[in-house]
């Protein structure tokens, strides 16, 4: 028990000593000393302290190599503190201010990385995702031979998949609304048509995506339901369109678990198209 108390007292004294030293550095007019202390804090992973010192140093050291390094360390400190929005702006400020700087390549990469880390789940607004895609693409344009090229490309694929998932959720929502609580005729027609349009646009925009079959399935199902809920003057044409879509699905995905559903739709469509 006594040993634990002694250890606790020592820890408190050590923390107080460190806090006292840091406050002394903050008030010091010896900017070289503050700069070296900021570097030490950064190296030791004390990013909050590093941030506090570096924010002022980038102005105090303006025009010097230390200012350039301070700006990059500030951006990295923000990134390590998970303040990704601030980090992306600071990294952007770095390569804008020092386009030929020592850390320009890394700064441009980390603009995309910071936005990548803050990209939300597919259901939410994807503005940060689009920003990250743009940033990584810019990085690849500027540094096509970079050692980080493959990493940036992988991140781009991940981000694009997030956009695809959002489109898939949107198309699925329209399809679900088509038959929501007996929602038929004009409302269902509008929703099934919207599901088809969203899915078709996604297939055109992202032709090599891994969710291609999911979109194709939604188009097939929506066209069939659209025919089912059509007025007499449109029904025949829409059943033909749905039947063609089912055959197209079977041709493109012959091993799909949904082939049985496609054949079921074809059989139902034929009852109207053969007349």
């Amino acid at each position: 028990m006594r040993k634990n108390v002694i250890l606790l007292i020592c820890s408190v004294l050590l923390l107080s000593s460190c806090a006292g030293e840091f406050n002394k550095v903050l008030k010091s007019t010896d900017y070289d000393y503050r700069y070296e202390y900021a570097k030490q804090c950064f190296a030791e992973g004390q990013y909050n302290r590093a941030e506090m010192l570096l924010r002022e140093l980038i102005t105090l050291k303006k025009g010097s190599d230390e200012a350039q390094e301070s700006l990059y360390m500030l951006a990295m400190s923000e990134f390590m503190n998970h303040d990704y929005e601030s980090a992306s702006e600071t990294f952007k400020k770095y390569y804008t201010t020092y386009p030929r700087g020592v850390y320009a390549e890394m700064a441009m990469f980390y603009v995309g990385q910071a936005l990548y880390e803050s990209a939300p789940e597919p259901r939410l607004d994807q503005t940060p995702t689009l920003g990250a895609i743009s940033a990584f693409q810019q990085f690849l344009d500027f540094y096509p031979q970079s050692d980080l090229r493959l990493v940036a490309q992988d991140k781009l694929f991940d981000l694009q998949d997030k956009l695809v998932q959002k489109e898939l959720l949107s198309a699925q929502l329209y399809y679900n609304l088509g038959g929501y609580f007996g929602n038929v005729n004009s409302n269902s027609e509008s929703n099934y048509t919207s599901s088809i349009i969203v899915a078709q646009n996604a297939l055109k925009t992202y032709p090599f995506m891994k969710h291609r079959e999911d979109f194709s399935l939604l188009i097939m199902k929506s066209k069939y339901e659209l025919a089912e809920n059509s007025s007499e003057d449109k029904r025949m044409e829409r059943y033909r369109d749905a039947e063609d879509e089912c055959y197209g699905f079977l041709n493109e995905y012959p091993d799909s678990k949904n082939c049985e559903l496609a054949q079921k739709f074809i059989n139902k469509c034929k009852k109207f198209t053969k007349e």
Side-chain angles (χ1 to χ4, degrees), residues 178-247:
Y180 187 65
F181 284 133
N183 181 19
V184 295
N185 298 325
S186 61
N187 287 332
S188 63
E189 181 173 332
S190 175
N191 286 316
Y192 289 131
T193 299
S194 295
S195 180
I196 293 167
I197 292 172
V198 171
Q200 288 177 334
N201 286 341
L203 288 172
K204 290 177 183 177
T205 306
Y206 310 102
F208 305 110
M209 61 178 162
K210 62 184 179 182
H211 298 288
R212 185 175 180 83
E213 182 181 339
D214 296 323
F215 283 105
S216 296
L217 177 63
L218 275 174
I219 293 172
M220 180 180 72
K221 290 165 64 177
S222 293
K223 285 191 175 184
Y224 175 78
E225 294 297 341
L226 188 59
E228 285 278 282
N229 289 281
S230 291
S231 56
E232 283 295 331
D233 60 320
K234 297 179 181 179
R235 185 167 295 168
M236 181 68 71
E237 178 185 352
R238 287 178 173 173
Y239 271 120
R240 288 196 180 108
D241 187 28
E243 185 178 349
D244 289 342
E245 192 67 40
C246 291
Y247 279 121

Side-chain angles (χ1 to χ4, degrees), residues 4-5 36 41 62 86 91 119 124 148 157 166-167 174 178 180 195 235 243 248 272:
N4 291 337
V5 172
E36 292 300 327
C41 289
K62 189 174 183 179
S86 296
F91 281 123
L124 303 178
L148 291 168
F157 293 144
K166 184 172 181 62
E167 292 303 295
Y174 279 124
Y180 187 65
S195 180
R235 185 167 295 168
E243 185 178 349
F272 295 90

Side-chain angles (χ1 to χ4, degrees), residues 88-89 91-97 99 104-113 115 129-146 148-149 152-153 155-156 159-160:
S88 67
E89 291 301 319
F91 281 123
K92 191 179 299 183
K93 181 179 179 180
Y94 177 91
Y95 72 71
T96 301
T97 307
E105 179 180 337
M106 293 298 295
M108 189 171 286
F109 173 82
Y110 269 100
V111 171
Q113 185 64 30
L115 292 170
T129 302
L130 293 170
I133 289 174
S134 177
F136 278 128
Q137 191 58 63
Q138 182 181 22
F139 171 77
L140 291 171
D141 290 342
F142 271 79
Y143 302 101
Q145 305 302 321
S146 172
L148 291 168
R149 175 175 58 86
Q153 288 176 343
K155 300 292 184 183
L156 273 175
L159 292 162
Q160 288 173 348

Side-chain angles (χ1 to χ4, degrees):
M1 180 70 176
R2 182 180 177 185
K3 183 178 179 181
N4 291 337
V5 172
I6 293 174
L7 287 173
L8 178 61
I9 293 173
C10 290
S11 298
V12 172
L13 290 174
L14 180 60
L15 289 172
S16 299
S17 175
C18 291
E21 181 183 6
F22 180 68
N23 289 330
K24 180 181 177 181
V25 175
L26 277 175
K27 297 175 183 178
S28 174
T29 56
D30 185 342
Y31 302 142
D32 290 333
Y33 173 50
R34 289 168 67 175
Y35 170 69
E36 292 300 327
Y37 194 88
K39 288 179 66 175
Q40 181 182 334
C41 289
F42 181 82
E44 293 175 354
Q46 300 180 45
Y47 300 114
N48 286 325
R49 290 188 171 187
E51 269 193 61
M52 294 176 67
L53 292 167
L54 292 166
R55 287 189 191 284
E56 192 172 6
L57 283 169
I58 59 176
T59 301
L60 296 172
K61 290 281 188 178
K62 189 174 183 179
S64 67
D65 291 339
E66 288 87 352
Q68 180 181 161
E69 189 173 30
S70 293
L71 185 58
Y72 181 73
M73 285 194 296
L74 173 60
M76 283 302 302
S77 295
E78 292 169 337
F79 182 85
M80 297 304 293
N81 280 328
H82 308 295
D83 184 1
Y84 298 122
E85 184 177 352
S86 296
S88 67
E89 291 301 319
T90 307
F91 281 123
K92 191 179 299 183
K93 181 179 179 180
Y94 177 91
Y95 72 71
T96 301
T97 307
Y98 307 105
R100 298 182 182 278
V102 178
Y103 307 104
E105 179 180 337
M106 293 298 295
M108 189 171 286
F109 173 82
Y110 269 100
V111 171
Q113 185 64 30
L115 292 170
Y116 175 87
E117 295 292 345
S118 64
E121 62 171 293
R123 294 179 185 277
L124 303 178
D125 176 55
Q126 293 301 304
T127 299
T129 302
L130 293 170
I133 289 174
S134 177
F136 278 128
Q137 191 58 63
Q138 182 181 22
F139 171 77
L140 291 171
D141 290 342
F142 271 79
Y143 302 101
Q145 305 302 321
S146 172
D147 291 341
L148 291 168
R149 175 175 58 86
L150 294 179
V151 177
Q153 288 176 343
D154 286 342
K155 300 292 184 183
L156 273 175
F157 293 144
D158 287 345
L159 292 162
Q160 288 173 348
D161 186 59
K162 189 165 290 193
L163 295 181
V164 169
Q165 289 182 52
K166 184 172 181 62
E167 292 303 295
L168 183 58
L169 288 170
S170 179
Q172 183 67 59
L173 177 62
Y174 279 124
Y175 176 79
N176 292 341
L177 288 173
Y180 187 65
F181 284 133
N183 181 19
V184 295
N185 298 325
S186 61
N187 287 332
S188 63
E189 181 173 332
S190 175
N191 286 316
Y192 289 131
T193 299
S194 295
S195 180
I196 293 167
I197 292 172
V198 171
Q200 288 177 334
N201 286 341
L203 288 172
K204 290 177 183 177
T205 306
Y206 310 102
F208 305 110
M209 61 178 162
K210 62 184 179 182
H211 298 288
R212 185 175 180 83
E213 182 181 339
D214 296 323
F215 283 105
S216 296
L217 177 63
L218 275 174
I219 293 172
M220 180 180 72
K221 290 165 64 177
S222 293
K223 285 191 175 184
Y224 175 78
E225 294 297 341
L226 188 59
E228 285 278 282
N229 289 281
S230 291
S231 56
E232 283 295 331
D233 60 320
K234 297 179 181 179
R235 185 167 295 168
M236 181 68 71
E237 178 185 352
R238 287 178 173 173
Y239 271 120
R240 288 196 180 108
D241 187 28
E243 185 178 349
D244 289 342
E245 192 67 40
C246 291
Y247 279 121
F249 184 89
L250 289 173
N251 287 333
E252 187 167 0
Y253 311 103
D255 299 320
S256 172
K257 64 180 181 180
N258 292 296
C259 285
E260 186 177 339
L261 178 63
Q263 189 60 57
K264 178 182 176 181
F265 285 164
I266 289 172
N267 295 337
K268 288 189 175 181
C269 288
K270 283 186 178 299
K271 293 180 181 179
F272 295 90
T273 57
K274 69 180 181 180
E275 295 177 0

